[in-house]
């Protein structure tokens, strides 16, 4: 009887539900009003749905009034409509590209671009994702005004370079904050193929939503999510061959011998090489060795394959993204492999509750030589050799009879030096539930967990080295071991309240986001960092003409001393949409002006990117104080204003933008500030807030796009610059700050934050008589040495004669981009340039020997140095005489500074798209690409994006072939 009642009740409920069902009819069209045949119509939270007919019309039964319909179609943005009491619902879908441009992701919320008053830039992801880039940082070269990415290496498994937004204003880590789907992460840990959008918050008004972490700018990354509709598979793969572009040309063996003898004779020493040995080298009896050619044993190759499987219905959507990146090095040992997997899902629970659940993991395996485990050491050691030195003893019966030079032989390091393997595991879980209290008001939570672990192992077998007589000289012993490094976990919890609504009969619009956040970092070495934050942001658009943006955030961090852990960071921005003024109507109707907006912002943001607990006292094992406590230690702070203008004109064909800004940073943190030693202490330092720095700059962008029949084209460019200046270097306006770890860097008012501080030169000493009759000179000066200017006229050359020689920052940064399309063909070019930069010819890129502070006897001159060195016959040379051992020429002076401006073709690409192949492949694009293939520069070193040095893994030009296809 009980079961009968239950069945009866269930049947009654089903009948009531069925009785409540009613029909909804309507049509689905695009923005121009044309039907969208086959558009999907789904009831949110279910898999009940239908498809629009050829005329775009549909019909669907709904169970009640409290449901939402989801309208989707390929190439269009999804749209949700609440049914309510409506019986006819006609919708228009916006094309995905246009709609994406109209929305900006910023500060835990999305805002229509026309309602943004602060300085926000968006990357062109369509262009970025057609480039075969291995690491996401590479996408920032020449693409965003105000953002510089100086790429210094192509070493497998490494970070390619550093990104800075609107200059550098700190002694700490100046990298911008990166937020990926609401989580703090690194760009290195993001697969470029999985990215949907990248937004850059450049001024205080936009970045202050991140308070103490926003002073270096903020990069917000949103990854791809599934779309409601048909099941879809996307594949993207490329293969690349790499060619070194910055290999030095060292002098050959016989020339090295002569130059070495020349240096020793000028220094009053006995020549090293006899004429007979020089003759043997010159005639080929003893071969000249190109050590770089010996260690570069193969072409470096790389490949990337990404697969995405996505789809969904009314219950939700999903996107499973898999990636594999392989980077090969210049020998069989070097290289890296990265495996990544991301699963993003949106789950619609009933009608008002949505859960975004993301799971991500990647494993990075890096292979290095055990003898040179940083990846650069092999090439550094190859530079230390000279071409008269042999790899093997000639005519020897001993297998692999390597010659050691100063206990070095880079070829032996590859063959017998062993291997070292690094393993990095990264996993995240990110849950973002959202509950809609009303259509306009929702509560959103966010809890995420990240864990990063790494380990390394190494192996080297015993190998004996023998001298020319076959006697043992040294042994590389057996080494097999492994270690696990410090692991890090990060947990973030966040609660948001979002309110968005149209007011005054849709004349005004308001966006409000408020919330709180708690973050905790735990390290396996028992270090822990905690932070709490409270924030709020209001955007108000009045009559679509005037926009107000107000943000406030309070941050508390355990990194700082008690009583100084909390900071308050407010900001405000105003904008005027002049396009919507009545007096602009004639220009708007004619298409002469499509958009004209003026913006102004001001705010306070901070920087807490320092090691934790620097304020505490540190005492060593013997009870000596090594670091003085500083109870006043606190945040770095930055005041910033920004003025901007946006213009779109000539029927949306020409767009332009101008930004002018100033950033004033104060309370800068110097963690190694020397303090007067106490009794019993020989070295004492403290972390202090000291100094003030200004960054002032401008950004100009211009882009023209049009279509002529089947031919489409766009040409764009940007120009931006930043001037960096120290205002105060200590506690008073007249203080100077001498850095204990870099004596070539001294701060005082008026110089740049990373200035070159050294001697001015006045040619070279002509002969012994010139040296003898010159009072102001350094000890042991010889003819051909640099003549330094006696700035104060006291007849002595010392530190008092050093002056500011300039700064190393890139100025007059510019970029051009061109995109051409004809039917199914496309052609793209990105060019990046620096109009002014002063580079330093340090290390063996400049000097004729390795200046190691000891013998200074390793290495060989570059051919460029040898051709331009001082000799008695060439007194007006570019460089001083050749030398070995100690020399007065190695001090920083303007002799070693050079023009490092350049223009580089970052990308040249040609592609062709097949619209459909069979029933499975919807489109297939095949392309060839050249990256960093051509550089125009006057730089006397090797790579204008970095200063000279003693040898690194080479920079590469990359030539690739790739395809991108969509299935089903």
């Amino acid at each position: 009887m009980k079961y009968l009642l239950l069945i009866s009740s269930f049947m009654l409920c089903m009948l009531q539900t069925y009785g409540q069902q009613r029909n909804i009819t309507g049509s689905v069209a695009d923005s121009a009003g044309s039907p969208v045949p086959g558009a999907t119509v789904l009831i949110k939270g279910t898999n009940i749905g239908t498809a629009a007919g050829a005329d775009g019309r549909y019909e669907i039964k709904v169970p009640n009034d409290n449901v939402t319909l989801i309208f989707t179609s390929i190439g269009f943005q999804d749209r949700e409509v609440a049914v309510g009491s409506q019986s006819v619902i006609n919708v228009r879908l916006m094309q995905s590209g246009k709609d994406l441009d109209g929305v900006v992701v910023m500060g835990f919320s999305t805002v229509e671009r026309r309602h943004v008053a602060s300085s926000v830039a968006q990357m062109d992801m369509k262009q970025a994702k057609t480039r075969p880039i291995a690491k996401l940082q590479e996408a920032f070269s020449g693409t965003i005004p105000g953002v510089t990415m100086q790429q210094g290496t192509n070493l497998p498994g490494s970070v390619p370079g550093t990104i800075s937004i609107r200059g550098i204003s700190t002694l700490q880590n100046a990298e911008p904050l990166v937020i990926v789907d609401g989580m703090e992460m690194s760009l290195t840990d993001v697969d470029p193929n999985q990215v949907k959008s990248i937004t850059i918050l450049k001024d205080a008004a936009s970045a202050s939503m991140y308070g103490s972490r926003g002073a270096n700018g903020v990069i917000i990354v949103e990854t791809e999510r599934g779309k409601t509709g048909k099941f879809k598979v996307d594949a993207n793969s490329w293969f690349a061959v790499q060619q070194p572009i910055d290999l030095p040309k060292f002098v050959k063996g016989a020339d090295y011998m002569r130059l070495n003898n020349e240096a020793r004779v000028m220094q009053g020493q006995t020549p090293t090489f006899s004429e007979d040995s020089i003759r043997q080298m010159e005639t080929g009896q003893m071969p000249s060795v190109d050590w770089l050619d010996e260690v570069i044993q193969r072409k470096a190759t790389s490949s990337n394959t990404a697969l995405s499987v996505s789809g969904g219905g009314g219950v939700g959507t999903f996107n499973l993204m898999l990636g594999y990146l392989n980077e090969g090095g210049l020998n069989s040992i070097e290289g890296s492999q990265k495996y990544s997997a991301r699963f993003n899902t949106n789950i619609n629970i009933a009608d008002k509750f949505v859960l975004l659940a993301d799971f991500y993991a990647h494993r990075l395996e890096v292979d290095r030589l055990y003898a040179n485990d940083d990846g650069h050491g092999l090439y550094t050691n190859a530079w230390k050799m000279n071409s008269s030195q042999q790899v093997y003893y000639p005519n020897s019966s001993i297998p692999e009879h390597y010659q050691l030079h100063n206990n070095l032989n880079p070829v032996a390091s590859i063959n017998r030096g062993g291997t070292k393997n690094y393993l990095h595991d990264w996993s995240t879980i990110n849950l973002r539930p959202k509950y809609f209290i009303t259509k306009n008001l929702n509560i959103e939570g966010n809890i995420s967990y990240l864990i990063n672990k790494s380990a390394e192992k190494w192996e080297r077998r015993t190998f004996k080295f023998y001298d020319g007589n076959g006697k043992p000289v040294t042994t590389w012993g057996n080494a097999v071991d492994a270690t696990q490094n410090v692991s890090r976990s990060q947990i973030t919890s966040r609660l948001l309240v979002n309110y968005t609504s149209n007011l005054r009969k849709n004349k005004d619009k308001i966006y409000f986001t408020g919330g709180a956040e708690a973050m905790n970092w735990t390290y396996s070495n028992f270090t822990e960092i905690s932070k709490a934050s409270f924030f709020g942001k209001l955007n108000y658009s009045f009559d679509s003409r005037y926009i107000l943006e107000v943000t406030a955030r309070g941050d508390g961090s355990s990194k700082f001393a008690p009583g100084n852990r909390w900071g308050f960071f407010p900001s405000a921005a105003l904008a005027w949409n002049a396009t919507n003024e009545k007096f602009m109507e004639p220009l708007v109707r004619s298409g002469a002006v499509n958009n004209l907006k003026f913006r102004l912002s001001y705010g306070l943001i901070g920087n807490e990117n320092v090691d934790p607990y620097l304020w505490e006292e540190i005492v060593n094992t013997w009870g000596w104080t090594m670091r003085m406590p500083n109870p006043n230690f606190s945040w770095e702070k930055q005041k910033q204003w920004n003025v901007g203008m946006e213009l779109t004109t000539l029927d949306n064909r020409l767009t332009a933008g101008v930004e002018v800004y100033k950033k004033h940073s104060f309370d800068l943190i110097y963690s190694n500030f020397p303090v007067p030693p106490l009794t019993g202490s020989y070295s004492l330092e403290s972390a202090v807030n000291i100094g003030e720095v200004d960054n002032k700059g401008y950004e100009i962008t211009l882009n023209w796009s049009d279509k002529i029949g089947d031919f489409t084209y766009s040409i764009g460019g940007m120009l931006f610059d930043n001037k960096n200046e120290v205002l105060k270097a200590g506690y008073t306006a007249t203080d100077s700050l001498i850095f204990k770890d870099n004596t070539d860097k001294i701060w005082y008012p008026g110089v740049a934050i990373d200035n070159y501080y050294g001697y001015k030169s006045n040619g070279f000493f002509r002969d012994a008589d010139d040296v003898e009759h010159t009072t102001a000179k350094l000890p042991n000066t010889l003819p051909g040495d640099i003549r330094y200017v006696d700035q104060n006229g006291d007849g002595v050359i010392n530190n008092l004669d050093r002056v500011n020689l300039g700064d190393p920052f890139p100025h007059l940064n510019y970029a051009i981009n061109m995109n051409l399309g004809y039917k199914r063909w496309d052609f793209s070019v990105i060019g990046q340039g620096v109009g002014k930069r002063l580079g330093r010819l340090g290390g063996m890129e400049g000097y004729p020997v390795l200046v190691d502070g000891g013998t200074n006897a390793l290495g060989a001159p570059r051919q460029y140095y040898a051709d331009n060195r001082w000799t008695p016959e060439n007194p007006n040379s570019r460089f001083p005489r050749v030398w070995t051992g100690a020399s007065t020429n190695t001090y920083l002076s303007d002799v070693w500074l050079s023009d490092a401006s350049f223009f580089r073709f970052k990308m040249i690409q040609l592609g062709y798209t097949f619209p459909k192949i069979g029933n499975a492949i919807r489109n297939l694009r095949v392309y060839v690409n050249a990256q960093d293939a051509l550089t125009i520069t006057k730089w006397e070193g090797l790579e204008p994006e970095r200063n000279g040095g003693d040898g690194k893994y080479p920079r590469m030009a990359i030539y690739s072939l790739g395809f991108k296809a969509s299935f089903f």
Side-chain angles (χ1 to χ4, degrees):
M1 185 67 181
K2 178 173 67 174
Y3 295 108
L4 184 60
L5 287 172
L6 285 172
I7 293 172
S8 300
S9 300
F10 177 75
M11 293 298 294
L12 181 61
C13 291
M14 292 295 293
L15 287 170
Q16 288 175 340
T17 301
Y18 181 81
Q20 291 174 352
Q21 284 190 333
R22 60 188 181 87
N23 281 350
I24 301 294
T25 60
S27 63
V28 184
D30 61 18
S31 58
S34 301
V36 181
T40 302
V41 186
L42 286 164
I43 298 175
K44 189 174 181 179
T46 75
N47 280 323
I48 301 170
T50 186
D55 58 356
R57 300 196 63 79
Y58 71 92
E59 181 178 347
I60 190 171
K61 291 186 184 307
V62 297
N64 53 61
D65 295 347
N66 299 319
V67 298
T68 298
L69 296 182
I70 306 174
F71 298 84
T72 66
S73 184
I74 294 173
F76 296 88
Q77 287 292 300
D78 296 355
R79 184 171 175 184
E80 298 185 10
V81 179
V83 170
S85 60
Q86 303 175 88
S87 58
V88 178
I89 300 177
N90 300 320
V91 299
R92 290 194 176 187
L93 301 180
M94 300 296 296
Q95 291 183 5
S96 57
K98 292 181 179 179
D99 189 60
L100 189 63
D101 289 338
V103 175
V104 178
V105 180
M106 53 184 295
F108 311 121
S109 63
T110 59
V111 179
E112 292 182 60
R113 172 166 281 282
R114 61 196 179 105
H115 296 150
V116 174
S118 49
S119 183
V120 177
Q122 288 180 292
M123 183 174 289
D124 182 352
M125 290 308 301
K126 181 180 178 182
Q127 185 182 71
K129 295 180 76 170
T130 60
R131 297 171 60 184
I133 54 177
K135 286 117 179 177
L136 194 53
Q137 287 95 334
E138 297 172 30
F140 287 81
S141 293
T143 55
I144 304 293
V147 180
T148 59
M149 208 296 280
Q150 290 184 276
Q151 185 169 347
T153 183
N154 291 97
L155 178 67
S158 70
V159 178
T162 57
I163 294 174
S164 63
I165 299 176
R166 293 186 167 181
I168 296 175
S169 55
T170 179
L171 291 167
Q172 309 305 312
N173 186 348
E175 288 276 314
L177 173 68
V178 178
I179 303 294
V180 180
D181 293 332
M183 294 182 62
E184 183 175 336
M185 292 178 66
S186 166
L187 286 176
T188 309
D189 302 313
V190 182
D191 186 338
N193 296 293
Q194 299 173 2
V195 175
K196 175 184 177 183
S197 68
I198 296 177
T199 304
I200 297 90
L201 311 182
K202 296 192 288 187
D203 67 347
S206 58
S208 62
M209 194 62 166
Y210 296 93
S212 63
R213 298 178 291 161
N216 299 321
V218 182
I219 298 174
I220 298 178
V221 179
E222 292 286 309
T223 58
E224 293 280 7
R225 312 197 72 80
K227 297 183 184 299
T228 305
K230 194 174 180 180
F231 178 80
K232 187 177 71 162
V233 177
D234 293 315
N236 185 10
S237 183
W238 53 261
F239 174 82
V241 177
Q242 302 180 4
Q243 178 69 36
I245 58 176
D246 65 344
L247 295 181
K249 182 181 179 182
F250 295 117
V251 295
K252 295 189 179 298
D255 289 334
Y256 169 77
M257 292 175 165
R258 292 190 183 97
L259 288 168
N260 186 280
N261 284 350
E262 178 184 311
R264 294 179 66 83
V265 168
M266 284 193 290
Q267 293 163 185
Q269 299 165 333
T270 304
T272 304
F273 302 100
S274 67
E275 287 299 322
D276 184 58
S277 61
I278 295 174
R279 190 180 309 107
Q280 289 183 32
M281 182 67 67
E282 197 164 38
T283 58
Q285 292 176 268
M286 185 69 70
S288 179
V289 178
D290 185 336
W291 281 92
L292 282 172
D293 189 57
E294 294 291 335
V295 298
I296 297 178
Q297 299 178 337
R298 66 177 188 180
K299 290 279 188 183
T301 61
S302 58
S303 62
N304 186 296
T305 301
L307 187 69
S308 169
V309 182
S310 63
V315 173
T317 62
F318 74 92
N319 194 352
L320 173 63
M321 294 164 278
L322 305 174
Y324 172 69
L325 172 66
N326 180 282
E327 294 184 279
L330 293 168
N331 57 63
S332 59
I333 297 175
E334 296 171 328
S336 70
Q337 299 183 88
K338 182 179 178 181
Y339 308 84
S340 64
R342 182 182 292 275
F343 184 72
N344 291 352
T345 180
N346 294 15
I347 304 172
N348 300 321
I349 303 173
D351 185 50
K352 294 187 175 182
F353 188 79
V354 179
L355 174 64
L356 277 65
D358 305 337
F359 307 90
Y360 174 67
H362 81 240
R363 165 165 286 188
L364 175 63
E365 299 174 357
V366 182
D367 300 319
R368 300 273 190 255
L369 299 172
Y370 174 61
N372 311 114
D373 62 359
D374 68 346
H376 298 290
L378 175 70
Y379 307 93
T380 302
N381 285 344
W383 280 32
K384 293 176 183 177
M385 315 304 284
N386 71 69
S387 49
S388 72
Q389 297 168 337
Q390 303 300 300
V391 179
Y392 304 98
Y393 285 99
N395 306 316
S396 174
S397 60
I398 301 174
E400 294 187 76
H401 195 180
Y402 298 102
Q403 285 194 32
L404 292 179
H405 309 281
N406 204 47
N407 208 33
L408 296 175
N409 188 307
V411 176
S413 295
I414 298 175
N415 298 333
R416 293 295 180 175
T419 61
K420 193 166 188 178
N421 310 104
Y422 296 85
L423 183 66
H424 304 273
D425 282 336
W426 183 287
S427 304
T428 67
I429 300 174
N430 189 18
L431 303 176
R432 290 178 285 172
K434 182 184 289 188
Y435 180 75
F436 290 86
I437 300 173
T438 68
K439 177 183 177 181
N440 307 110
L441 179 65
N442 67 74
I443 298 175
E444 181 179 352
N446 187 188
I447 184 165
S448 61
Y449 179 74
L450 177 154
I451 186 166
N452 181 19
K453 294 183 177 181
S454 63
E456 55 199 65
K457 63 178 181 179
W458 55 92
E459 179 182 12
R460 184 181 66 187
R461 302 296 177 88
T462 300
F463 186 80
K464 290 184 178 180
F465 291 88
Y466 303 89
D467 64 14
N469 298 317
K471 295 181 180 179
V473 290
T474 190
T475 300
W476 285 354
N478 188 68
V480 179
D481 206 347
T483 183
Q484 183 168 314
N485 299 317
V486 174
S487 63
R488 174 175 70 96
S489 63
Q490 171 188 320
I491 187 166
T492 303
S493 56
R494 185 184 301 122
L495 180 64
L496 302 172
V497 176
N498 296 303
Y499 179 77
T500 304
S501 180
N502 293 310
L503 304 175
R504 295 199 316 131
K505 298 181 180 180
N506 296 330
K507 290 183 178 180
D508 299 353
K509 189 160 188 178
I510 186 173
Y511 306 83
F512 174 77
T513 297
E517 178 183 71
M519 302 182 73
N520 180 269
W521 293 264
T522 304
Y523 299 80
S524 58
N525 64 354
F526 304 103
T527 301
E528 185 174 2
I529 304 169
S530 298
K531 193 174 69 177
S533 307
F534 302 90
F535 48 82
K537 187 179 186 72
L538 171 71
N539 280 65
Y540 192 92
S541 172
F542 177 78
D543 199 25
S544 294
R545 292 183 296 160
Y546 309 109
I547 303 167
L548 172 67
E549 196 173 300
V550 179
T551 307
R553 175 162 175 146
D555 280 332
S557 173
S558 65
K559 290 183 177 181
F560 301 105
N564 291 284
R565 289 178 173 169
W566 283 91
F568 179 64
F569 306 98
S571 72
L574 293 171
W576 176 37
N577 269 326
T579 319
N580 296 326
E581 297 288 353
K582 288 186 178 181
F583 64 82
M584 292 289 292
E585 287 181 1
L587 293 174
V588 174
R589 281 197 304 268
S590 68
V593 176
N594 306 104
N595 176 55
L596 178 61
K597 182 195 284 188
F598 298 93
R599 294 181 279 101
L600 172 66
S601 69
Y602 182 82
L604 175 69
I605 45 181
N607 180 29
E608 55 115 30
N609 201 358
V610 296
D611 292 334
Y613 314 119
L614 290 174
W615 62 274
E616 292 184 325
E617 181 181 21
I618 295 179
V619 180
N620 69 9
T621 308
W622 296 275
W624 294 351
T625 298
M626 306 302 294
R627 177 179 288 276
M628 287 288 292
N630 180 6
N632 297 317
F633 182 63
S634 187
W635 316 88
E636 291 187 351
K637 305 170 188 68
Q638 184 183 104
K639 296 176 182 177
Q640 183 180 158
W641 60 258
N642 186 93
V643 177
M645 184 274 290
E646 303 169 13
L647 172 66
T648 306
T649 183
L650 301 178
D651 288 324
N652 293 303
R653 289 178 293 177
L654 178 65
T655 59
V658 177
E659 304 274 349
V660 180
Y661 63 87
K662 180 179 178 180
K663 303 195 299 185
H664 176 68
S665 305
F666 56 102
D667 287 345
L668 300 189
I669 294 171
Y670 183 30
S671 57
N672 303 111
F673 188 78
V675 297
L678 300 177
T679 302
S681 296
Y682 63 90
S683 176
L684 201 59
E685 59 188 27
S686 182
V688 297
N689 295 98
I690 195 169
E692 298 180 11
V693 172
D694 267 1
N695 277 277
K696 296 181 286 187
Y698 63 85
E699 301 160 8
I700 301 172
T701 59
L702 203 64
N703 189 79
W704 174 273
S705 60
D706 202 359
K707 182 177 181 181
I708 306 172
D710 292 329
F711 178 69
T712 60
Y713 69 96
S714 67
I715 301 173
M718 66 181 73
L719 173 68
F720 60 94
D721 200 359
N722 176 274
K723 181 183 178 183
N724 177 282
E725 183 180 0
V726 174
L727 299 183
K728 190 167 74 171
Y731 294 109
T732 69
T734 59
D735 284 351
S736 294
L737 181 61
I738 301 173
F739 291 82
K740 60 183 295 184
D741 57 342
N742 184 358
T743 57
D744 290 337
K745 178 179 174 181
I746 296 179
W747 273 17
Y748 55 88
V751 302
I753 195 171
D754 279 333
N755 65 307
Y756 296 125
Y757 190 77
Y759 296 104
K760 281 278 190 181
S761 65
N762 183 21
F764 307 109
F765 287 97
R766 296 187 306 276
D767 48 37
D769 188 64
D770 189 17
V771 173
E772 184 179 352
H773 289 88
T774 300
T775 304
K777 61 180 181 289
L778 291 168
N780 303 314
T781 296
L782 295 174
D785 287 341
I786 301 171
R787 185 197 301 271
Y788 298 118
V789 175
D790 182 11
Q791 296 286 347
N792 58 9
D794 63 358
V796 178
I797 299 296
N798 56 24
N799 284 335
L800 298 178
D801 297 305
R802 295 198 295 167
V803 295
N804 178 41
L805 300 175
D807 73 74
F809 297 117
H811 296 285
L812 298 176
N813 301 272
Y814 63 97
I816 58 171
N817 62 80
M818 180 177 67
N819 298 284
L820 309 177
Y822 181 71
K823 294 184 177 180
R824 298 173 186 172
W825 290 94
D826 61 86
F827 178 73
S828 300
V829 175
I830 297 177
Q832 177 202 6
V834 171
K836 180 182 179 182
R837 188 175 94 82
L838 194 62
R840 180 176 181 179
L841 286 166
M844 285 183 284
E845 284 190 41
Y847 306 148
V849 292
L850 173 69
V851 178
D852 57 8
T855 63
N856 291 0
L858 296 174
R862 288 172 56 207
Q863 188 65 51
Y864 180 75
Y865 177 96
D867 293 340
N868 293 277
R869 74 190 189 282
W870 182 95
T871 63
E873 297 76 28
N874 182 29
N876 299 316
S877 59
R878 170 65 181 89
F879 298 113
R881 67 177 178 90
V882 67
W883 74 84
T884 63
S887 173
T888 61
N889 297 316
T890 59
Y891 294 104
L892 174 58
S893 72
D894 54 6
V895 169
W896 305 114
L897 301 181
S898 180
D899 180 4
S901 61
F902 69 91
F903 176 77
R904 170 169 282 162
F905 285 95
K906 291 297 299 182
M907 183 195 78
I908 304 173
Q909 186 176 113
L910 176 66
Y912 184 82
T913 301
F914 300 89
K916 190 175 182 181
I917 301 177
N919 295 322
I921 302 177
R922 194 165 61 246
N923 63 68
L924 170 65
R925 180 175 180 268
V926 181
Y927 62 89
V928 290
N929 188 94
Q931 184 168 304
D932 295 335
L934 179 61
T935 302
I936 302 170
T937 182
K938 294 181 179 179
W939 172 237
E940 295 173 289
L942 302 178
E943 171 52 52
E945 291 194 68
R946 67 170 185 240
N947 285 342
D950 291 318
K952 285 189 175 183
Y953 189 89
R955 280 282 277 118
M956 300 287 192
I958 303 174
Y959 304 91
S960 56
L961 171 67
F963 77 88
K964 189 173 185 179
S966 295
F967 300 85
F968 308 112

